[in-house]
Amino acid sequence: MHIVLDEMAMAAAGQGNVLASRLIHRAHAEAGWFLYAPSCALVEADRARPGTAEHLAALPGVTVLDLDLPAALAVARQESWAAAHSQYAAQPTPERPGGAIVATTAPHRWEGEPVRVLDLSS
């Protein structure tokens, strides 16, 4: 299971969101669970809730994704760097042929986008 946290999910995790906390725990404790924090989304989450970036980056079950050249080119075409980097990170890759799911507390924001969404707002 490959899951990308968008900036809203990251901020929610910092505020004690139970579903986000469960994802973080599973990524750390269970084989086959992978949780990703795109760096652009991490910056936005930290702006919304200072300290979020350091906290998430320190967690052993969370992989911070750098803004490499292909990601930067994808981000450059979008209005929101955080959403664009999250969407880019969720796309299929050779390591993740099925892509990843975007975890968010604002599922409506992803309507019409080519990503699968996990609603953490419940």
Side-chain angles (χ1 to χ4, degrees):
M1 179 70 63
H2 297 273
I3 300 173
V4 174
L5 297 172
D6 74 0
E7 76 276 15
M8 300 201 173
M10 292 183 207
Q15 295 172 333
N17 178 289
V18 173
L19 297 175
S21 295
R22 286 182 187 164
L23 284 178
I24 291 167
H25 172 73
R26 283 193 171 193
H28 174 66
E30 295 184 28
W33 281 78
F34 303 93
L35 203 54
Y36 305 98
S39 56
C40 292
L42 195 58
V43 168
E44 287 303 315
D46 200 70
R47 286 180 179 164
R49 183 165 172 77
T52 300
E54 287 180 64
H55 176 72
L56 285 173
L59 296 172
V62 178
T63 300
V64 176
L65 300 175
D66 294 330
L67 185 64
D68 58 11
L69 180 58
L73 295 173
V75 165
R77 292 184 217 117
Q78 302 293 326
E79 199 169 302
S80 164
W81 285 32
H85 199 187
S86 297
Q87 182 176 338
Y88 174 80
Q91 298 308 306
T93 65
E95 298 83 26
R96 295 185 314 270
I101 299 167
V102 174
T104 186
T105 57
H108 61 278
R109 144 195 225 193
W110 294 102
E111 289 175 3
E113 297 297 337
V115 295
R116 294 173 292 154
V117 173
L118 176 61
D119 184 358
L120 301 181
S121 63
S122 300

